[in-house]
PDB file of all heavy atoms in Angstrom:
ATOM      1  N   GLU B   1       0.827  -1.205   0.011  1.00 98.00           N
ATOM      2  CA  GLU B   1      -0.008  -0.003  -0.003  1.00 98.00           C
ATOM      3  C   GLU B   1       0.878   1.246  -0.006  1.00 98.00           C
ATOM      4  O   GLU B   1       0.577   2.232  -0.708  1.00 98.00           O
ATOM      5  CB  GLU B   1      -0.920   0.017   1.220  1.00 98.00           C
ATOM      6  CG  GLU B   1      -2.021  -1.022   1.182  1.00 98.00           C
ATOM      7  CD  GLU B   1      -2.822  -1.089   2.472  1.00 98.00           C
ATOM      8  OE1 GLU B   1      -2.572  -0.222   3.341  1.00 98.00           O
ATOM      9  OE2 GLU B   1      -3.669  -1.975   2.620  1.00 98.00           O
ATOM     10  N   ALA B   2       1.953   1.215   0.787  1.00 98.00           N
ATOM     11  CA  ALA B   2       2.880   2.365   0.814  1.00 98.00           C
ATOM     12  C   ALA B   2       3.583   2.535  -0.497  1.00 98.00           C
ATOM     13  O   ALA B   2       3.760   3.655  -1.001  1.00 98.00           O
ATOM     14  CB  ALA B   2       3.897   2.175   1.957  1.00 98.00           C
ATOM     15  N   VAL B   3       3.974   1.425  -1.124  1.00 98.00           N
ATOM     16  CA  VAL B   3       4.604   1.473  -2.438  1.00 98.00           C
ATOM     17  C   VAL B   3       3.667   2.109  -3.462  1.00 98.00           C
ATOM     18  O   VAL B   3       4.044   2.939  -4.293  1.00 98.00           O
ATOM     19  CB  VAL B   3       5.055   0.053  -2.889  1.00 98.00           C
ATOM     20  CG1 VAL B   3       5.374   0.035  -4.363  1.00 98.00           C
ATOM     21  CG2 VAL B   3       6.250  -0.399  -2.063  1.00 98.00           C
ATOM     22  N   GLU B   4       2.371   1.707  -3.410  1.00 98.00           N
ATOM     23  CA  GLU B   4       1.396   2.279  -4.325  1.00 98.00           C
ATOM     24  C   GLU B   4       1.298   3.817  -4.122  1.00 98.00           C
ATOM     25  O   GLU B   4       1.249   4.583  -5.088  1.00 98.00           O
ATOM     26  CB  GLU B   4       0.033   1.644  -4.077  1.00 98.00           C
ATOM     27  CG  GLU B   4      -1.062   2.242  -4.978  1.00 98.00           C
ATOM     28  CD  GLU B   4      -2.459   1.703  -4.638  1.00 98.00           C
ATOM     29  OE1 GLU B   4      -2.596   0.978  -3.641  1.00 98.00           O
ATOM     30  OE2 GLU B   4      -3.393   2.047  -5.373  1.00 98.00           O
ATOM     31  N   LYS B   5       1.283   4.246  -2.888  1.00 97.00           N
ATOM     32  CA  LYS B   5       1.190   5.680  -2.600  1.00 97.00           C
ATOM     33  C   LYS B   5       2.428   6.404  -3.101  1.00 97.00           C
ATOM     34  O   LYS B   5       2.343   7.541  -3.649  1.00 97.00           O
ATOM     35  CB  LYS B   5       1.022   5.921  -1.109  1.00 97.00           C
ATOM     36  CG  LYS B   5      -0.320   5.472  -0.542  1.00 97.00           C
ATOM     37  CD  LYS B   5      -0.380   5.673   0.966  1.00 97.00           C
ATOM     38  CE  LYS B   5      -1.676   5.201   1.552  1.00 97.00           C
ATOM     39  NZ  LYS B   5      -1.725   5.333   3.033  1.00 97.00           N
ATOM     40  N   GLU B   6       3.598   5.814  -2.910  1.00 97.00           N
ATOM     41  CA  GLU B   6       4.841   6.466  -3.383  1.00 97.00           C
ATOM     42  C   GLU B   6       4.835   6.548  -4.882  1.00 97.00           C
ATOM     43  O   GLU B   6       5.197   7.595  -5.462  1.00 97.00           O
ATOM     44  CB  GLU B   6       6.063   5.701  -2.886  1.00 97.00           C
ATOM     45  CG  GLU B   6       7.345   6.462  -3.241  1.00 97.00           C
ATOM     46  CD  GLU B   6       8.617   5.753  -2.847  1.00 97.00           C
ATOM     47  OE1 GLU B   6       8.574   4.544  -2.547  1.00 97.00           O
ATOM     48  OE2 GLU B   6       9.672   6.399  -2.837  1.00 97.00           O
ATOM     49  N   MET B   7       4.427   5.488  -5.577  1.00 97.00           N
ATOM     50  CA  MET B   7       4.353   5.532  -7.029  1.00 97.00           C
ATOM     51  C   MET B   7       3.382   6.595  -7.519  1.00 97.00           C
ATOM     52  O   MET B   7       3.644   7.324  -8.477  1.00 97.00           O
ATOM     53  CB  MET B   7       3.998   4.154  -7.585  1.00 97.00           C
ATOM     54  CG  MET B   7       5.122   3.155  -7.448  1.00 97.00           C
ATOM     55  SD  MET B   7       4.901   1.607  -8.407  1.00 97.00           S
ATOM     56  CE  MET B   7       3.467   0.905  -7.598  1.00 97.00           C
ATOM     57  N   ALA B   8       2.217   6.688  -6.825  1.00 97.00           N
ATOM     58  CA  ALA B   8       1.218   7.692  -7.220  1.00 97.00           C
ATOM     59  C   ALA B   8       1.800   9.115  -7.065  1.00 97.00           C
ATOM     60  O   ALA B   8       1.536   9.992  -7.874  1.00 97.00           O
ATOM     61  CB  ALA B   8      -0.019   7.515  -6.381  1.00 97.00           C
ATOM     62  N   TYR B   9       2.569   9.318  -5.987  1.00 96.00           N
ATOM     63  CA  TYR B   9       3.185  10.610  -5.757  1.00 96.00           C
ATOM     64  C   TYR B   9       4.141  10.974  -6.910  1.00 96.00           C
ATOM     65  O   TYR B   9       4.073  12.085  -7.474  1.00 96.00           O
ATOM     66  CB  TYR B   9       3.939  10.629  -4.439  1.00 96.00           C
ATOM     67  CG  TYR B   9       4.811  11.843  -4.214  1.00 96.00           C
ATOM     68  CD1 TYR B   9       4.276  13.024  -3.745  1.00 96.00           C
ATOM     69  CD2 TYR B   9       6.192  11.797  -4.474  1.00 96.00           C
ATOM     70  CE1 TYR B   9       5.079  14.156  -3.556  1.00 96.00           C
ATOM     71  CE2 TYR B   9       6.994  12.911  -4.295  1.00 96.00           C
ATOM     72  CZ  TYR B   9       6.426  14.088  -3.841  1.00 96.00           C
ATOM     73  OH  TYR B   9       7.217  15.193  -3.658  1.00 96.00           O
ATOM     74  N   TYR B  10       4.995  10.053  -7.288  1.00 95.00           N
ATOM     75  CA  TYR B  10       5.969  10.336  -8.325  1.00 95.00           C
ATOM     76  C   TYR B  10       5.344  10.360  -9.723  1.00 95.00           C
ATOM     77  O   TYR B  10       5.921  10.949 -10.644  1.00 95.00           O
ATOM     78  CB  TYR B  10       7.124   9.368  -8.248  1.00 95.00           C
ATOM     79  CG  TYR B  10       8.107   9.714  -7.121  1.00 95.00           C
ATOM     80  CD1 TYR B  10       8.257   8.851  -6.045  1.00 95.00           C
ATOM     81  CD2 TYR B  10       8.843  10.885  -7.127  1.00 95.00           C
ATOM     82  CE1 TYR B  10       9.089   9.163  -5.002  1.00 95.00           C
ATOM     83  CE2 TYR B  10       9.715  11.179  -6.118  1.00 95.00           C
ATOM     84  CZ  TYR B  10       9.830  10.333  -5.050  1.00 95.00           C
ATOM     85  OH  TYR B  10      10.682  10.662  -4.009  1.00 95.00           O
ATOM     86  N   SER B  11       4.196   9.716  -9.868  1.00 94.00           N
ATOM     87  CA  SER B  11       3.567   9.720 -11.194  1.00 94.00           C
ATOM     88  C   SER B  11       3.232  11.135 -11.648  1.00 94.00           C
ATOM     89  O   SER B  11       3.253  11.444 -12.831  1.00 94.00           O
ATOM     90  CB  SER B  11       2.336   8.828 -11.184  1.00 94.00           C
ATOM     91  OG  SER B  11       1.320   9.412 -10.397  1.00 94.00           O
ATOM     92  N   ASN B  12       2.915  11.990 -10.680  1.00 89.00           N
ATOM     93  CA  ASN B  12       2.605  13.397 -11.019  1.00 89.00           C
ATOM     94  C   ASN B  12       3.838  14.158 -11.455  1.00 89.00           C
ATOM     95  O   ASN B  12       3.750  15.107 -12.212  1.00 89.00           O
ATOM     96  CB  ASN B  12       1.960  14.074  -9.800  1.00 89.00           C
ATOM     97  CG  ASN B  12       0.641  13.469  -9.409  1.00 89.00           C
ATOM     98  OD1 ASN B  12      -0.138  13.076 -10.283  1.00 89.00           O
ATOM     99  ND2 ASN B  12       0.384  13.330  -8.114  1.00 89.00           N
ATOM    100  N   HIS B  13       4.997  13.740 -10.911  1.00 88.00           N
ATOM    101  CA  HIS B  13       6.244  14.453 -11.227  1.00 88.00           C
ATOM    102  C   HIS B  13       6.848  13.970 -12.568  1.00 88.00           C
ATOM    103  O   HIS B  13       7.628  14.689 -13.211  1.00 88.00           O
ATOM    104  CB  HIS B  13       7.285  14.272 -10.129  1.00 88.00           C
ATOM    105  CG  HIS B  13       6.904  14.968  -8.842  1.00 88.00           C
ATOM    106  ND1 HIS B  13       5.875  14.540  -8.022  1.00 88.00           N
ATOM    107  CD2 HIS B  13       7.426  16.065  -8.255  1.00 88.00           C
ATOM    108  CE1 HIS B  13       5.774  15.365  -6.996  1.00 88.00           C
ATOM    109  NE2 HIS B  13       6.712  16.274  -7.086  1.00 88.00           N
ATOM    110  N   PHE B  14       6.533  12.746 -12.977  1.00 91.00           N
ATOM    111  CA  PHE B  14       7.159  12.149 -14.165  1.00 91.00           C
ATOM    112  C   PHE B  14       6.100  11.726 -15.177  1.00 91.00           C
ATOM    113  O   PHE B  14       6.300  10.716 -15.860  1.00 91.00           O
ATOM    114  CB  PHE B  14       8.037  10.955 -13.740  1.00 91.00           C
ATOM    115  CG  PHE B  14       9.154  11.343 -12.810  1.00 91.00           C
ATOM    116  CD1 PHE B  14       9.095  11.013 -11.469  1.00 91.00           C
ATOM    117  CD2 PHE B  14      10.248  12.036 -13.279  1.00 91.00           C
ATOM    118  CE1 PHE B  14      10.115  11.362 -10.587  1.00 91.00           C
ATOM    119  CE2 PHE B  14      11.285  12.393 -12.418  1.00 91.00           C
ATOM    120  CZ  PHE B  14      11.203  12.059 -11.071  1.00 91.00           C
ATOM    121  N   SER B  15       5.030  12.478 -15.260  1.00 87.00           N
ATOM    122  CA  SER B  15       3.934  12.101 -16.143  1.00 87.00           C
ATOM    123  C   SER B  15       4.349  12.101 -17.604  1.00 87.00           C
ATOM    124  O   SER B  15       3.764  11.364 -18.423  1.00 87.00           O
ATOM    125  CB  SER B  15       2.739  13.048 -15.940  1.00 87.00           C
ATOM    126  OG  SER B  15       3.123  14.389 -16.182  1.00 87.00           O
ATOM    127  N   GLY B  16       5.358  12.867 -17.947  1.00 87.00           N
ATOM    128  CA  GLY B  16       5.812  12.916 -19.336  1.00 87.00           C
ATOM    129  C   GLY B  16       6.920  11.938 -19.652  1.00 87.00           C
ATOM    130  O   GLY B  16       7.388  11.885 -20.803  1.00 87.00           O
ATOM    131  N   GLU B  17       7.366  11.189 -18.659  1.00 93.00           N
ATOM    132  CA  GLU B  17       8.488  10.289 -18.853  1.00 93.00           C
ATOM    133  C   GLU B  17       7.994   8.892 -19.254  1.00 93.00           C
ATOM    134  O   GLU B  17       6.922   8.436 -18.823  1.00 93.00           O
ATOM    135  CB  GLU B  17       9.286  10.142 -17.549  1.00 93.00           C
ATOM    136  CG  GLU B  17       9.972  11.424 -17.093  1.00 93.00           C
ATOM    137  CD  GLU B  17      11.270  11.687 -17.839  1.00 93.00           C
ATOM    138  OE1 GLU B  17      11.703  10.766 -18.568  1.00 93.00           O
ATOM    139  OE2 GLU B  17      11.828  12.783 -17.705  1.00 93.00           O
ATOM    140  N   THR B  18       8.802   8.220 -20.039  1.00 97.00           N
ATOM    141  CA  THR B  18       8.551   6.829 -20.396  1.00 97.00           C
ATOM    142  C   THR B  18       9.544   5.951 -19.690  1.00 97.00           C
ATOM    143  O   THR B  18      10.755   6.204 -19.742  1.00 97.00           O
ATOM    144  CB  THR B  18       8.649   6.621 -21.913  1.00 97.00           C
ATOM    145  OG1 THR B  18       7.638   7.372 -22.563  1.00 97.00           O
ATOM    146  CG2 THR B  18       8.486   5.151 -22.266  1.00 97.00           C
ATOM    147  N   VAL B  19       9.047   4.942 -18.997  1.00 98.00           N
ATOM    148  CA  VAL B  19       9.909   3.984 -18.280  1.00 98.00           C
ATOM    149  C   VAL B  19      10.345   2.921 -19.283  1.00 98.00           C
ATOM    150  O   VAL B  19       9.517   2.191 -19.840  1.00 98.00           O
ATOM    151  CB  VAL B  19       9.167   3.347 -17.089  1.00 98.00           C
ATOM    152  CG1 VAL B  19      10.012   2.237 -16.452  1.00 98.00           C
ATOM    153  CG2 VAL B  19       8.824   4.436 -16.057  1.00 98.00           C
ATOM    154  N   THR B  20      11.643   2.810 -19.486  1.00 97.00           N
ATOM    155  CA  THR B  20      12.186   1.880 -20.494  1.00 97.00           C
ATOM    156  C   THR B  20      12.562   0.521 -19.902  1.00 97.00           C
ATOM    157  O   THR B  20      12.671  -0.463 -20.626  1.00 97.00           O
ATOM    158  CB  THR B  20      13.423   2.493 -21.177  1.00 97.00           C
ATOM    159  OG1 THR B  20      14.398   2.818 -20.179  1.00 97.00           O
ATOM    160  CG2 THR B  20      13.021   3.729 -21.959  1.00 97.00           C
ATOM    161  N   SER B  21      12.776   0.481 -18.590  1.00 98.00           N
ATOM    162  CA  SER B  21      13.077  -0.809 -17.934  1.00 98.00           C
ATOM    163  C   SER B  21      12.667  -0.727 -16.462  1.00 98.00           C
ATOM    164  O   SER B  21      12.691   0.338 -15.869  1.00 98.00           O
ATOM    165  CB  SER B  21      14.558  -1.162 -18.053  1.00 98.00           C
ATOM    166  OG  SER B  21      15.347  -0.367 -17.226  1.00 98.00           O
ATOM    167  N   VAL B  22      12.276  -1.882 -15.953  1.00 98.00           N
ATOM    168  CA  VAL B  22      11.866  -2.003 -14.544  1.00 98.00           C
ATOM    169  C   VAL B  22      12.651  -3.171 -13.959  1.00 98.00           C
ATOM    170  O   VAL B  22      12.824  -4.204 -14.592  1.00 98.00           O
ATOM    171  CB  VAL B  22      10.356  -2.296 -14.434  1.00 98.00           C
ATOM    172  CG1 VAL B  22       9.959  -2.438 -12.973  1.00 98.00           C
ATOM    173  CG2 VAL B  22       9.523  -1.222 -15.115  1.00 98.00           C
ATOM    174  N   PHE B  23      13.103  -2.982 -12.714  1.00 98.00           N
ATOM    175  CA  PHE B  23      13.769  -4.074 -11.994  1.00 98.00           C
ATOM    176  C   PHE B  23      13.155  -4.164 -10.605  1.00 98.00           C
ATOM    177  O   PHE B  23      13.187  -3.210  -9.828  1.00 98.00           O
ATOM    178  CB  PHE B  23      15.283  -3.817 -11.877  1.00 98.00           C
ATOM    179  CG  PHE B  23      16.075  -5.048 -11.558  1.00 98.00           C
ATOM    180  CD1 PHE B  23      16.742  -5.746 -12.534  1.00 98.00           C
ATOM    181  CD2 PHE B  23      16.133  -5.514 -10.250  1.00 98.00           C
ATOM    182  CE1 PHE B  23      17.475  -6.899 -12.246  1.00 98.00           C
ATOM    183  CE2 PHE B  23      16.876  -6.652  -9.936  1.00 98.00           C
ATOM    184  CZ  PHE B  23      17.550  -7.354 -10.933  1.00 98.00           C
ATOM    185  N   ILE B  24      12.586  -5.318 -10.304  1.00 98.00           N
ATOM    186  CA  ILE B  24      11.996  -5.567  -8.969  1.00 98.00           C
ATOM    187  C   ILE B  24      13.006  -6.443  -8.223  1.00 98.00           C
ATOM    188  O   ILE B  24      13.224  -7.589  -8.575  1.00 98.00           O
ATOM    189  CB  ILE B  24      10.641  -6.278  -9.100  1.00 98.00           C
ATOM    190  CG1 ILE B  24       9.701  -5.432  -9.968  1.00 98.00           C
ATOM    191  CG2 ILE B  24      10.034  -6.489  -7.722  1.00 98.00           C
ATOM    192  CD1 ILE B  24       8.398  -6.146 -10.339  1.00 98.00           C
ATOM    193  N   GLY B  25      13.631  -5.839  -7.216  1.00 97.00           N
ATOM    194  CA  GLY B  25      14.692  -6.515  -6.494  1.00 97.00           C
ATOM    195  C   GLY B  25      14.395  -6.679  -5.028  1.00 97.00           C
ATOM    196  O   GLY B  25      13.326  -6.293  -4.546  1.00 97.00           O
ATOM    197  N   GLY B  26      15.345  -7.232  -4.325  1.00 94.00           N
ATOM    198  CA  GLY B  26      15.106  -7.474  -2.893  1.00 94.00           C
ATOM    199  C   GLY B  26      16.369  -7.696  -2.133  1.00 94.00           C
ATOM    200  O   GLY B  26      17.467  -7.343  -2.598  1.00 94.00           O
ATOM    201  N   GLY B  27      16.214  -8.358  -0.984  1.00 93.00           N
ATOM    202  CA  GLY B  27      15.068  -9.165  -0.622  1.00 93.00           C
ATOM    203  C   GLY B  27      14.791 -10.268  -1.641  1.00 93.00           C
ATOM    204  O   GLY B  27      15.558 -10.601  -2.485  1.00 93.00           O
ATOM    205  N   THR B  28      13.559 -10.784  -1.498  1.00 96.00           N
ATOM    206  CA  THR B  28      13.127 -11.872  -2.353  1.00 96.00           C
ATOM    207  C   THR B  28      11.706 -11.568  -2.856  1.00 96.00           C
ATOM    208  O   THR B  28      10.726 -11.865  -2.184  1.00 96.00           O
ATOM    209  CB  THR B  28      13.123 -13.195  -1.588  1.00 96.00           C
ATOM    210  OG1 THR B  28      14.378 -13.374  -0.946  1.00 96.00           O
ATOM    211  CG2 THR B  28      12.861 -14.366  -2.526  1.00 96.00           C
ATOM    212  N   PRO B  29      11.594 -10.930  -4.026  1.00 97.00           N
ATOM    213  CA  PRO B  29      10.241 -10.633  -4.557  1.00 97.00           C
ATOM    214  C   PRO B  29       9.359 -11.847  -4.697  1.00 97.00           C
ATOM    215  O   PRO B  29       8.125 -11.728  -4.594  1.00 97.00           O
ATOM    216  CB  PRO B  29      10.575  -9.997  -5.922  1.00 97.00           C
ATOM    217  CG  PRO B  29      11.916  -9.395  -5.759  1.00 97.00           C
ATOM    218  CD  PRO B  29      12.662 -10.358  -4.865  1.00 97.00           C
ATOM    219  N   SER B  30       9.938 -13.033  -4.890  1.00 98.00           N
ATOM    220  CA  SER B  30       9.125 -14.228  -5.060  1.00 98.00           C
ATOM    221  C   SER B  30       8.513 -14.766  -3.789  1.00 98.00           C
ATOM    222  O   SER B  30       7.775 -15.775  -3.806  1.00 98.00           O
ATOM    223  CB  SER B  30       9.925 -15.338  -5.767  1.00 98.00           C
ATOM    224  OG  SER B  30      11.123 -15.616  -5.093  1.00 98.00           O
ATOM    225  N   VAL B  31       8.729 -14.096  -2.637  1.00 97.00           N
ATOM    226  CA  VAL B  31       7.986 -14.496  -1.431  1.00 97.00           C
ATOM    227  C   VAL B  31       6.607 -13.854  -1.409  1.00 97.00           C
ATOM    228  O   VAL B  31       5.750 -14.232  -0.594  1.00 97.00           O
ATOM    229  CB  VAL B  31       8.728 -14.130  -0.093  1.00 97.00           C
ATOM    230  CG1 VAL B  31      10.060 -14.840  -0.025  1.00 97.00           C
ATOM    231  CG2 VAL B  31       8.871 -12.625   0.045  1.00 97.00           C
ATOM    232  N   LEU B  32       6.334 -12.912  -2.297  1.00 98.00           N
ATOM    233  CA  LEU B  32       4.992 -12.345  -2.392  1.00 98.00           C
ATOM    234  C   LEU B  32       4.041 -13.405  -2.917  1.00 98.00           C
ATOM    235  O   LEU B  32       4.435 -14.307  -3.646  1.00 98.00           O
ATOM    236  CB  LEU B  32       4.985 -11.126  -3.321  1.00 98.00           C
ATOM    237  CG  LEU B  32       5.822  -9.914  -2.909  1.00 98.00           C
ATOM    238  CD1 LEU B  32       5.718  -8.838  -3.976  1.00 98.00           C
ATOM    239  CD2 LEU B  32       5.388  -9.367  -1.551  1.00 98.00           C
ATOM    240  N   THR B  33       2.772 -13.261  -2.565  1.00 98.00           N
ATOM    241  CA  THR B  33       1.752 -14.127  -3.158  1.00 98.00           C
ATOM    242  C   THR B  33       1.453 -13.657  -4.570  1.00 98.00           C
ATOM    243  O   THR B  33       1.801 -12.548  -4.982  1.00 98.00           O
ATOM    244  CB  THR B  33       0.453 -14.086  -2.336  1.00 98.00           C
ATOM    245  OG1 THR B  33      -0.115 -12.771  -2.420  1.00 98.00           O
ATOM    246  CG2 THR B  33       0.711 -14.452  -0.880  1.00 98.00           C
ATOM    247  N   GLY B  34       0.763 -14.521  -5.336  1.00 98.00           N
ATOM    248  CA  GLY B  34       0.357 -14.116  -6.691  1.00 98.00           C
ATOM    249  C   GLY B  34      -0.482 -12.842  -6.688  1.00 98.00           C
ATOM    250  O   GLY B  34      -0.186 -11.915  -7.442  1.00 98.00           O
ATOM    251  N   PRO B  35      -1.523 -12.736  -5.839  1.00 98.00           N
ATOM    252  CA  PRO B  35      -2.315 -11.523  -5.807  1.00 98.00           C
ATOM    253  C   PRO B  35      -1.492 -10.299  -5.406  1.00 98.00           C
ATOM    254  O   PRO B  35      -1.722  -9.185  -5.923  1.00 98.00           O
ATOM    255  CB  PRO B  35      -3.409 -11.816  -4.778  1.00 98.00           C
ATOM    256  CG  PRO B  35      -3.548 -13.302  -4.832  1.00 98.00           C
ATOM    257  CD  PRO B  35      -2.170 -13.829  -5.080  1.00 98.00           C
ATOM    258  N   GLN B  36      -0.546 -10.450  -4.489  1.00 98.00           N
ATOM    259  CA  GLN B  36       0.281  -9.329  -4.095  1.00 98.00           C
ATOM    260  C   GLN B  36       1.161  -8.846  -5.251  1.00 98.00           C
ATOM    261  O   GLN B  36       1.297  -7.627  -5.490  1.00 98.00           O
ATOM    262  CB  GLN B  36       1.146  -9.709  -2.910  1.00 98.00           C
ATOM    263  CG  GLN B  36       0.390  -9.808  -1.597  1.00 98.00           C
ATOM    264  CD  GLN B  36       1.223 -10.398  -0.464  1.00 98.00           C
ATOM    265  OE1 GLN B  36       2.210 -11.107  -0.694  1.00 98.00           O
ATOM    266  NE2 GLN B  36       0.805 -10.133   0.765  1.00 98.00           N
ATOM    267  N   LEU B  37       1.749  -9.778  -6.008  1.00 98.00           N
ATOM    268  CA  LEU B  37       2.560  -9.400  -7.140  1.00 98.00           C
ATOM    269  C   LEU B  37       1.682  -8.732  -8.215  1.00 98.00           C
ATOM    270  O   LEU B  37       2.094  -7.702  -8.814  1.00 98.00           O
ATOM    271  CB  LEU B  37       3.269 -10.618  -7.731  1.00 98.00           C
ATOM    272  CG  LEU B  37       4.158 -10.319  -8.958  1.00 98.00           C
ATOM    273  CD1 LEU B  37       5.309  -9.381  -8.587  1.00 98.00           C
ATOM    274  CD2 LEU B  37       4.685 -11.605  -9.562  1.00 98.00           C
ATOM    275  N   LYS B  38       0.499  -9.260  -8.459  1.00 98.00           N
ATOM    276  CA  LYS B  38      -0.413  -8.654  -9.452  1.00 98.00           C
ATOM    277  C   LYS B  38      -0.746  -7.229  -9.027  1.00 98.00           C
ATOM    278  O   LYS B  38      -0.741  -6.310  -9.902  1.00 98.00           O
ATOM    279  CB  LYS B  38      -1.681  -9.482  -9.577  1.00 98.00           C
ATOM    280  CG  LYS B  38      -2.668  -8.903 -10.567  1.00 98.00           C
ATOM    281  CD  LYS B  38      -3.900  -9.774 -10.710  1.00 98.00           C
ATOM    282  CE  LYS B  38      -4.884  -9.157 -11.702  1.00 98.00           C
ATOM    283  NZ  LYS B  38      -6.094  -9.998 -11.890  1.00 98.00           N
ATOM    284  N   LYS B  39      -1.021  -7.004  -7.767  1.00 98.00           N
ATOM    285  CA  LYS B  39      -1.337  -5.633  -7.309  1.00 98.00           C
ATOM    286  C   LYS B  39      -0.151  -4.711  -7.579  1.00 98.00           C
ATOM    287  O   LYS B  39      -0.332  -3.602  -8.075  1.00 98.00           O
ATOM    288  CB  LYS B  39      -1.651  -5.650  -5.810  1.00 98.00           C
ATOM    289  CG  LYS B  39      -1.745  -4.244  -5.205  1.00 98.00           C
ATOM    290  CD  LYS B  39      -2.015  -4.258  -3.716  1.00 98.00           C
ATOM    291  CE  LYS B  39      -1.790  -2.899  -3.093  1.00 98.00           C
ATOM    292  NZ  LYS B  39      -2.487  -1.797  -3.785  1.00 98.00           N
ATOM    293  N   LEU B  40       1.063  -5.160  -7.230  1.00 98.00           N
ATOM    294  CA  LEU B  40       2.240  -4.341  -7.447  1.00 98.00           C
ATOM    295  C   LEU B  40       2.391  -3.923  -8.913  1.00 98.00           C
ATOM    296  O   LEU B  40       2.606  -2.770  -9.229  1.00 98.00           O
ATOM    297  CB  LEU B  40       3.476  -5.081  -6.989  1.00 98.00           C
ATOM    298  CG  LEU B  40       4.835  -4.418  -7.257  1.00 98.00           C
ATOM    299  CD1 LEU B  40       4.966  -3.119  -6.462  1.00 98.00           C
ATOM    300  CD2 LEU B  40       5.974  -5.373  -6.941  1.00 98.00           C
TER     301      LEU B  40
END
């Protein structure tokens, strides 16, 4: 939920930017459940 809020905050600052690559790191991202990963 906090990650969603942070992304929403920055979406206003970078609305004209295109994201060319994404890296989800950790930690261990694969400990999330399927629904949690889908939400992210």
Side-chain angles (χ1 to χ4, degrees):
E1 290 174 6
V3 165
E4 178 186 7
K5 291 177 182 177
E6 186 183 15
M7 288 193 294
Y9 170 81
Y10 283 113
S11 69
N12 297 322
H13 292 71
F14 299 105
S15 58
E17 295 280 350
T18 296
V19 174
T20 56
S21 73
V22 179
F23 198 100
I24 304 170
T28 309
S30 53
V31 298
L32 297 178
T33 65
Q36 286 171 338
L37 180 63
K38 180 178 179 179
K39 170 182 167 50
L40 174 66

